[in-house]
Amino acid sequence: MDLPFDDNFYMKKALQEAEIAFEKGEVPIGAVIVVDNRIIARAHNLTEQLTDVTAHAEMQAITAAANFLGGKYLQNCTMYVTLEPCQMCAGALYWSQISKIVYAAEDAQRGYNAMGTKLHPKTKVVGGVLEKEASDLLKRFFIERRNLN
């Protein structure tokens, strides 16, 4: 069966979530989780709004997807996220046994690769999908934050 949508389509949906975070004053990171060509979870960073350091887009999406599926494992699911997951989110994704992670921009300082964190051995990873768009949004956010202070 041919897939009607590609990685760019779903990453654009994650970027829409990142834009919502941006408008709320949150670090603009968004995520969606897809199973069988259907988005089952949409999320963005909520760390400021919830005053919770664990309220990353990925963590919110994992919880929403698990609730939708009625179980803790995200096998046969793909997460699209606008920034490479951090060590904490990579650990949660490991335990969720998610099948695939597609991220836009690399996080050379705090990403799971830089920290040496391992994902589940069966999890496939693709990086660099709409990287420029995600990077530009993050840069714009931090430039605006610096100019406010």
Side-chain angles (χ1 to χ4, degrees):
M1 175 172 78
D2 289 332
L3 300 179
F5 305 112
D6 63 3
D7 287 344
N8 286 345
F9 174 84
Y10 292 117
M11 189 60 74
K12 285 177 185 173
K13 299 298 182 187
L15 282 164
Q16 289 172 354
E17 289 296 318
E19 289 281 354
I20 294 168
F22 183 97
E23 295 302 320
K24 291 180 176 180
E26 299 276 357
V27 176
I29 299 169
V32 298
I33 295 181
V34 176
V35 65
D36 296 329
N37 301 319
R38 180 176 177 197
I39 296 173
I40 61 167
R42 299 171 186 266
H44 52 271
N45 271 3
L46 291 172
T47 58
E48 299 298 325
Q49 184 177 336
L50 299 178
T51 59
D52 179 356
V53 297
T54 69
H56 290 194
E58 299 95 323
M59 302 296 275
Q60 302 300 308
I62 290 166
T63 299
N67 286 337
F68 178 88
L69 294 171
K72 62 184 178 181
Y73 297 117
L74 303 181
Q75 295 157 336
N76 303 314
C77 293
T78 300
M79 174 180 279
Y80 293 85
V81 62
T82 58
L83 186 66
E84 175 188 351
C86 71
Q87 184 173 15
M88 173 186 69
C89 293
L93 288 162
Y94 177 98
W95 290 111
S96 78
Q97 298 180 19
I98 196 159
S99 295
K100 185 176 177 185
I101 300 167
V102 179
Y103 65 85
E106 179 181 286
D107 187 346
Q109 293 178 337
R110 294 181 197 90
Y112 78 92
N113 280 312
M115 302 298 244
T117 305
K118 302 290 184 204
L119 292 169
H120 194 276
K122 292 183 180 177
T123 301
K124 295 177 185 160
V125 179
V126 175
V129 176
L130 300 182
E131 180 176 12
K132 182 181 180 338
E133 293 86 337
S135 294
D136 288 350
L137 182 60
L138 284 161
K139 287 175 190 168
R140 189 173 56 144
F141 176 80
F142 287 110
I143 286 169
E144 286 186 21
R145 296 292 279 200
R146 275 187 229 114
N147 290 337
L148 291 175
N149 295 329

